[in-house]
Amino acid sequence: MGILFSSPQVEFQVIRDEWLEGVEEVARRGVFVGGTPVTSFESAFAQYTGSAYSIGVGNGTDALFLTLKALGIGPGDEVITAANTFIATVEAIHHTGATPVLVDCDPDTYLIDLERAKQAVTPRTKAILPVHLYGQMVDLSELTVWAEARNIAIVEDSAQAAGARLHGQMAGTLGIAGCFSFYPDKNLGALGDGGGITTSDPELASRLRRIRNHGGEAKYRHEFPGFNSRLDPLQAIALELKLKHLDEWSVKRRHAASLYEHYLQHLGGIVLPKHRQDESHVFHLYIVRVDAAIRDKVRKHLQKKGVLTAIHYPSPVHLTEAFAHLPYEQGAFPVSERYAREIVSLPMNISITEEDVKFMAEELRAVLGTIQV
Ligand SMILES: Cc1ncc(COP(=O)(O)O)c(C=O)c1O
């Protein structure tokens, strides 16, 4: 099969038989929207994360958008997030009518710079949306206390960090709500689109259960105009089956990361990710940096050898066409902008072997050794 970039097809084989049985059961009952599979996964995920509630929705973008809507965020408000995130984080803010306020990232962790986030607060700030980027948790212990005193909500974009734990708390349980994507190649991935929200606030949970379902929990009782964004039961079955393996899969990802460190640490011309030596990084992605001038050559060389790489993400949000209207020029976020030119995502998934990493290290040594910067 070669070296996979991500491994949803491998994970599928683990759950295949039980999932197919679950699908048959749904078909037998004839309940194709909602039903027991969804509530069962919701309680399993709430229990796993240590939240009082979990609410399944259509995808991770909706998880963010609906949470901000349910918190009453809208036109005239500001929400602070990182310039270097997947565009969905900022789209979710934009579509509430609020203004996205971006800040640069920390040069070591690539995570939102919390001091800059605090400096960006104005009387209009309603929420801060830290992103646990690449699977590594932002340490929010101090920020949550600081924000609570100012009546600012902390909503975690946990899309890439399912299963990560810091100081005994799981990603998605540090702020008022945690938003997850179950996109197939995520650490906890469905077999199609899916998303979820964790919260321990009963009022927010109740509002989210209604907002995702046309403004009411019961059919045809619409308390306010809502949306249709429900977790599909066939996805919920897959997710509940995969959840049982999530911790074991996080161990595999961390092991793959330690292999990369072992084989790449003495290689010149490549910067490896810095991270805490605990369970707060679940390595959704393994990101290295090389000089911008040689990145294409490095990627092409690896591709010729059968190793697919990617870039997460080629452009910080303020330099995308979609958000060109935000008041940030080129140069506004120098760390994010520089890293966007240097980052390379190497394969990271539950099937990576030591042989794979050795092979990639040899190829990287070969290509880095021959390129003149
Ligand atoms: C950081 C981040 N936020 C939000 C999302 C949106 O999730 P989805 O693709 O499920 O809508 C993603 C998914 O790629 C993501 O990586």
Side-chain angles (χ1 to χ4, degrees):
M1 207 153 38
I3 301 176
L4 296 172
F5 183 79
S6 60
S7 59
Q9 60 276 62
V10 177
E11 295 165 21
F12 174 70
Q13 290 309 325
V14 178
I15 62 160
R16 182 183 176 278
D17 293 349
E18 281 178 279
W19 182 72
L20 287 173
E21 277 169 30
V23 173
E24 290 281 3
E25 178 65 14
V26 166
R28 215 168 43 73
R29 292 189 187 189
V31 181
F32 289 97
V33 173
T36 334
V38 175
T39 49
S40 175
F41 168 67
E42 286 175 335
S43 36
F45 195 56
Q47 200 181 0
Y48 172 79
T49 53
S51 315
Y53 312 96
S54 120
I55 300 99
V57 294
N59 54 68
T61 311
D62 282 1
L64 291 161
F65 169 68
L66 298 177
T67 300
L68 296 176
K69 288 289 280 184
L71 288 169
I73 289 166
D77 298 334
E78 291 175 356
V79 178
I80 298 169
T81 194
N84 62 324
T85 181
F86 181 53
I87 198 157
T89 320
V90 185
E91 286 174 320
I93 300 168
H94 170 86
H95 287 301
T96 64
T99 303
V101 174
L102 305 181
V103 295
D104 211 346
C105 65
D106 178 278
D108 283 338
T109 60
Y110 312 178
L111 300 173
I112 184 168
D113 181 329
L114 293 183
E115 282 314 307
R116 286 181 195 276
K118 284 184 188 169
Q119 285 159 16
V121 166
T122 75
R124 293 175 163 211
T125 307
K126 287 284 155 39
I128 301 178
L129 191 31
V131 183
H132 300 308
L133 196 68
Y134 308 146
Q136 178 163 32
M137 285 174 76
V138 182
D139 189 344
L140 296 173
S141 33
E142 199 254 331
L143 187 80
T144 45
V145 179
W146 187 91
E148 196 171 353
R150 288 159 182 80
N151 213 11
I152 296 170
I154 303 292
V155 175
E156 299 165 68
D157 184 337
S158 309
Q160 304 187 356
R165 288 179 182 82
L166 180 59
H167 312 313
Q169 272 183 296
M170 303 222 62
T173 65
L174 308 171
I176 179 98
C179 301
F180 292 84
S181 163
F182 301 132
Y183 184 80
D185 72 2
K186 292 290 192 279
N187 291 32
L188 179 61
L191 306 175
D193 275 312
I197 302 146
T198 46
T199 183
S200 289
D201 182 314
E203 269 172 47
L204 180 61
S206 160
R207 198 158 174 86
L208 282 165
R209 274 195 295 266
R210 290 174 285 157
I211 204 167
R212 71 170 172 185
N213 189 44
H214 303 294
E217 281 199 60
K219 208 168 188 181
Y220 304 132
R221 219 185 70 214
H222 312 290
E223 298 162 41
F224 55 85
F227 298 86
N228 176 359
S229 183
R230 301 173 294 224
L231 180 64
D232 180 272
L234 305 188
Q235 304 307 337
I237 295 168
L239 289 165
E240 192 168 349
L241 291 169
K242 281 191 173 186
L243 185 60
K244 297 183 189 133
H245 299 277
L246 184 57
D247 283 344
E248 156 206 335
W249 289 347
S250 298
V251 169
K252 287 192 177 186
R253 287 173 179 273
R254 271 195 287 272
H255 180 61
S258 68
L259 290 171
Y260 273 127
E261 262 153 48
H262 179 74
Y263 287 102
L264 298 180
Q265 62 182 339
H266 299 302
L267 226 59
I270 187 163
V271 183
L272 307 184
K274 288 198 182 129
H275 58 93
R276 305 172 203 98
Q277 296 300 324
D278 56 18
E279 297 181 330
S280 63
H281 200 336
V282 286
F283 290 97
H284 170 56
L285 294 165
Y286 192 82
I287 311 285
V288 298
R289 289 188 358 251
V290 295
D291 194 286
I294 63 167
R295 181 171 69 175
D296 277 357
K297 285 184 195 153
V298 171
R299 294 190 66 209
K300 276 191 191 131
H301 177 84
L302 289 175
Q303 190 177 355
K304 260 195 253 154
K305 301 290 172 181
V307 178
L308 281 187
T309 60
I311 297 173
H312 295 89
Y313 297 91
S315 176
V317 174
H318 66 294
L319 300 182
T320 61
E321 204 181 329
F323 287 103
H325 61 278
L326 293 180
Y328 308 112
E329 300 297 320
Q330 181 128 20
F333 306 116
V335 183
S336 300
E337 290 174 28
R338 180 177 152 202
Y339 286 4
R341 295 189 293 268
E342 299 179 346
I343 47 178
V344 180
S345 311
L346 297 180
M348 170 51 80
N349 60 70
I350 65 162
S351 71
I352 299 264
T353 65
E354 184 156 5
E355 286 310 304
D356 295 339
V357 177
K358 256 192 200 169
F359 174 75
M360 289 187 275
E362 273 159 30
E363 291 307 329
L364 278 165
R365 186 188 307 277
V367 66
L368 290 168
T370 56
I371 291 174
Q372 300 296 316
V373 181

